[in-house]
Amino acid sequence: MSLPASFTAFRIHQDDHGHRSGLESIGLDDLSAGQVLVRAHWSSVNYKDALAGTGKGRILRRFPLVGGIDVAGTVVASTDPAWREGDAVLATGCGLSETRDGGYSPYVRLESSAVIAQPSGLSPREAMVIGTAGFTAALALLRMQDNRLTPAHGPLAVTGASGGVGCLAVDIFSRAGYAVHAISGKPGQADWLRSLGAAEVLPREALADAGPLQSARFGGGLDSAGGTMLTSLLAQTVPYGSVVSAGLAAGPSLEMTVMPFILRGVSLLGVSSANAPRALREQVWAQLGTAWRPAHLDAICTREVVLADLPEVFDGMLAGGSTGRTVVRID
């Protein structure tokens, strides 16, 4: 197929003139090196994208780069025989919008090791409603199950439940047979969270006590806040329950005692979605296209935008005004 001489992408700069980002005309020669050229159709907006696009977080390690840590599209050229023209693929993390050009562009060049075949149970748009956020939630569930967590341990708490990772975790965990207690500072979203599968919706104050050991009420859970909320969740987890840490929206510190670990055998697990090994990424995406496929993707996707809308979306997300997932239409 013929390829365009130039196209419009959302590019991020940091130089002597400071930080700037926006739509810019670039060509294929401007893209990062890689074996697989993809015609992008969809991307998404993650908190990390908002930090990178506004310069309010030190995300990019070199400049300039095209933003967007997620992308779904179709292979248009490949020097790796594992990928052929016409293959439907996706990529999340793997250095996108950090060390190499990302998904906010009609064309994305990827290292073949970053490319994942689109699960047959998902459309490209649905894959991006899930994106890094849903991948993180599913990876957290896999980590807990590998640590022998079962629904019999009790309900799973999900902090930041109205955000991208949180709402997908509510759906995925409940789909997998767990009772989910959604923790949210947005009481107006309680009915929405219940519609996604939450058995209970609790205020942030449920995890405000930093005491070293509290009444055990949760089988474990997924925390994307850090700080006191993670401390409290660990202190309220039942014996041999598991808690996954996946974010630091409330801060990177963790001040606590070892008591949940040595008196209850609680496990604190970590997930790093950006650099998960390929075999693990394939395993998680296979689950997301089948048994763990979120049942409420239409409700979880609260906004669809185009590249020109990104600055407004970033500002709203960093101001705490976003709920659910925003997908980006590249076509």
Side-chain angles (χ1 to χ4, degrees), residues 30-288:
D30 296 313
L31 297 177
S32 303
Q35 297 80 35
V36 184
L37 181 64
V38 174
R39 175 62 170 96
H41 302 306
W42 296 94
S43 184
S44 69
V45 182
N46 302 276
Y47 194 76
K48 190 174 179 179
D49 293 314
L51 291 173
T54 60
K56 295 181 179 178
R58 300 183 65 178
I59 306 300
L60 274 66
R61 299 184 187 178
R62 67 181 185 86
F63 298 89
L65 284 180
V66 174
I69 66 173
D70 294 343
V71 66
T74 305
V75 174
V76 293
S78 174
T79 60
D80 184 336
W83 304 106
R84 299 180 179 179
E85 183 177 343
D87 286 346
V89 298
L90 61 86
T92 58
C94 298
L96 296 184
S97 190
E98 184 177 355
T99 59
R100 57 183 301 112
D101 291 303
Y104 294 158
S105 169
Y107 291 89
V108 183
R109 189 176 284 118
L110 302 168
E111 295 285 347
S112 59
S113 59
V115 181
I116 299 292
Q118 181 184 298
S120 58
L122 297 169
S123 69
R125 185 182 186 277
E126 290 170 334
M128 289 295 95
V129 175
I130 295 171
T132 285
F135 177 80
T136 300
L139 182 57
L141 180 56
L142 183 64
R143 291 278 280 139
M144 290 188 283
Q145 290 189 339
D146 284 348
N147 204 43
R148 300 188 177 185
L149 187 78
T150 70
H153 281 86
L156 297 183
V158 175
T159 66
S162 63
V165 175
C167 68
L168 280 157
V170 169
D171 193 321
I172 292 166
F173 294 178
S174 61
R175 180 78 183 266
Y178 293 82
V180 180
H181 288 187
I183 315 293
S184 176
K186 298 179 179 179
Q189 300 300 326
D191 289 344
W192 177 67
L193 289 168
R194 291 189 186 95
S195 76
L196 301 183
E200 292 191 27
V201 180
L202 307 175
R204 288 174 181 166
E205 289 72 23
L207 296 179
D209 186 348
L213 207 63
Q214 302 163 40
S215 297
R217 63 189 298 193
F218 301 115
L222 172 60
D223 173 67
S224 26
T228 299
M229 295 190 78
L230 178 54
T231 298
S232 186
L233 176 53
L234 288 162
Q236 295 184 54
T237 296
V238 303
Y240 290 94
S242 298
V243 174
V244 173
S245 173
L248 42 69
S253 64
L254 181 61
E255 297 181 11
M256 61 177 297
T257 73
V258 298
M259 293 174 69
F261 309 125
I262 66 173
L263 297 182
R264 289 181 179 164
V266 171
S267 294
L268 174 59
L269 308 172
V271 295
S272 178
S273 60
N275 57 8
R278 180 182 181 81
L280 184 57
R281 286 186 283 121
E282 290 178 328
Q283 181 182 2
V284 170
W285 277 106
Q287 287 287 84
L288 284 167

